[in-house]
C-alpha cells in the first residue's frame, strides 16, 4: 500500500504516524498544506528497493541507485558518472532544494502549530455541535486529525428548516462571508462527475497507459455510484480557507468564528424566509 498522506502531516492512526502505515507514503508540500513550501512533496519509505524505484520514477526513468549518493560531489551536484538514459517510463517529479530547505525549517514548527490547530478544532467543534442541524467534523476512534480542511455539515431538517441542503449550504456560505468569515466549498462534485472525466479528455489512446479490457470502467465510475459523496458536498461547507487555514489561526480568531456562526444560525429562519420573499417579491417596475 502506498499511502496518500498529502494533507495529513502529523496525523496518527492507532498511534502510528500516517505515511508510515503502508510500504510507502507521500506528503504534499503545496502551499495550502499544513506543511507548505510552495510546491513539491515528500516521499517516505523504509524499503530501499522502493526508494530506488521511486527515484527512477521521479527522474524520467533514469537508472538512479541509492549507491549514487556515495559518488555525490557537492562541488559538481549536477554531474553524474553514469549515462543519463531512461531505462523505463518515468516523470520529471524532482523537487527543488529551496523548497526542501524551507520545508525542513517549517517542520520544526509543525508540532506546535498542529497542537494549536487541534485545540482550536476541538473547541470549535464542541461549540458548533450545540447548534441544531450543525455537524462539525468527527474523528473516528483510534484516529487523530490535523484538520487540513474543517468541513461542517448542515442538516436542514434537524435545524427546523424547510429548504434543500444545497440551498441551505449556499445561503449559509453567503451569510458567513458577510460576517467576514473565510468559507469555501473546495470541490463541488465527486471526481467522476467532474467535466474532465465526463468528457473523457485524452481517454483511450492507450499511451502511456492502456486500461484493462476486462473491466467496465463506465459502470465502475458511473456518476450514479457516487451519490453519497454528492450528498456530502451538497450539504457541507469548509470553514477557513486555503489562504487562511485553521492551522494558522490564533485561538481568539476561532472564538470569533464561533460567535459569527452562532449569529448566522440564530437568524437561519429569517435568512431562509428572506430568500423566499426575494424570489416572490416583484420589482417596483413589475409592480407598477
Ligand atoms: C489527497 C490529496 N492527494 C494528493 C494531492 C496532490 O498534492 P500536490 O498538490 O502536492 O500534487 C492533494 C492536493 O491537495 C490531495 O489533497
Amino acid at each position: 500500500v502506498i499511502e496518500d498522506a498529502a494533507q495529513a502531516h502529523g496525523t496518527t492512526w492507532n498511534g502510528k504516524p500516517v505515511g508510515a502505515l503502508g510500504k510507502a507514503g507521500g506528503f504534499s508540500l503545496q502551499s495550502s498544506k499544513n506543511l507548505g513550501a510552495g510546491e513539491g512533496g515528500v516521499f517516505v519509505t523504509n524499503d530501499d528497493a522502493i526508494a530506488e524505484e521511486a527515484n527512477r520514477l521521479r527522474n524520467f526513468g533514469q537508472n538512479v541507485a541509492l549507491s549514487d549518493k556515495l559518488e555525490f560531489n557537492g562541488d559538481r551536484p549536477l554531474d553524474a558518472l553514469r549515462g543519463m538514459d531512461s531505462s523505463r517510463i518515468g516523470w520529471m517529479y524532482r523537487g527543488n532544494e529551496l523548497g526542501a530547505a524551507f520545508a525542513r525549517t517549517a517542520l520544526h514548527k509543525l508540532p506546535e502549530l498542529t497542537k494549536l490547530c487541534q485545540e482550536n478544532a476541538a473547541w470549535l467543534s464542541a461549540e458548533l455541535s450545540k447548534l441544531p442541524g450543525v455537524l462539525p467534523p468527527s474523528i473516528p476512534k483510534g484516529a487523530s486529525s490535523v484538520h487540513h480542511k474543517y468541513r461542517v455539515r448542515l442538516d436542514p431538517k434537524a435545524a427546523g428548516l424547510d429548504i434543500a441542503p444545497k440551498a441551505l449550504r449556499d445561503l449559509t456560505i453567503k451569510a458567513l462571508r458577510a460576517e467576514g468569515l473565510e468559507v469555501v466549498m473546495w470541490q463541488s462534485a465527486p471526481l467522476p462527475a467532474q467535466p474532465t472525466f465526463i468528457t473523457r479528455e485524452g481517454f483511450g489512446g492507450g499511451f502511456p497507459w492502456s486500461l484493462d479490457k476486462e473491466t467496465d470502467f463506465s459502470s465502475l465510475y458511473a456518476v450514479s455510484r457516487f451519490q453519497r459523496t454528492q450528498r456530502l458536498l451538497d450539504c457541507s461547507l469548509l470553514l477557513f480557507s486555503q489562504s487562511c487555514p485553521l492551522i494558522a489561526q490564533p485561538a481568539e480568531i476561532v472564538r470569533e468564528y464561533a460567535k459569527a456562526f452562532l449569529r448566522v444560525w440564530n437568524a437561519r429562519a429569517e435568512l431562509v424566509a428572506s430568500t423566499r420573499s426575494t424570489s416572490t417579491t416583484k420589482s417596483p417596475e413589475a409592480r407598477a
Side-chain angles (χ1 to χ4, degrees), residues 4 6-7 28-30 33 39-40 186:
D4 179 351
Q7 307 185 337
S28 170
L29 296 179
Q30 180 267 336
K33 300 299 188 293
E39 283 292 352
W186 205 31

Side-chain angles (χ1 to χ4, degrees), residues 184-195:
V184 294
M185 267 201 308
W186 205 31
Q187 283 161 355
S188 64
L191 283 179
Q194 295 187 12

Side-chain angles (χ1 to χ4, degrees), residues 41-43 50-66 68-69 72 82 86 88-97 100:
V42 175
F43 179 79
I50 294 179
E52 292 202 335
E53 181 69 345
N55 253 336
R56 288 191 280 269
L57 284 175
R58 79 179 176 119
N59 210 41
F60 55 89
Q62 267 191 52
N63 205 15
V64 193
L66 291 178
D68 285 359
K69 270 200 289 196
F72 180 75
R82 57 183 161 67
S86 294
R88 50 156 304 153
I89 291 238
W91 285 263
M92 283 289 213
Y93 281 171
R94 294 191 298 261
N96 76 77
E97 283 156 12

Side-chain angles (χ1 to χ4, degrees), residues 62-120:
Q62 267 191 52
N63 205 15
V64 193
L66 291 178
S67 55
D68 285 359
K69 270 200 289 196
L70 304 174
E71 288 171 9
F72 180 75
N73 177 350
D75 294 331
R76 314 246 347 200
L78 305 179
D79 299 315
L81 297 179
R82 57 183 161 67
M84 295 178 79
D85 307 320
S86 294
S87 57
R88 50 156 304 153
I89 291 238
W91 285 263
M92 283 289 213
Y93 281 171
R94 294 191 298 261
N96 76 77
E97 283 156 12
L98 204 56
F102 189 87
R104 264 176 185 268
T105 310
L107 193 56
H108 291 294
K109 294 192 204 135
L110 187 68
E112 187 194 323
L113 276 178
T114 301
K115 184 168 173 284
L116 174 70
C117 172
Q118 288 174 330
E119 286 167 2
N120 282 340

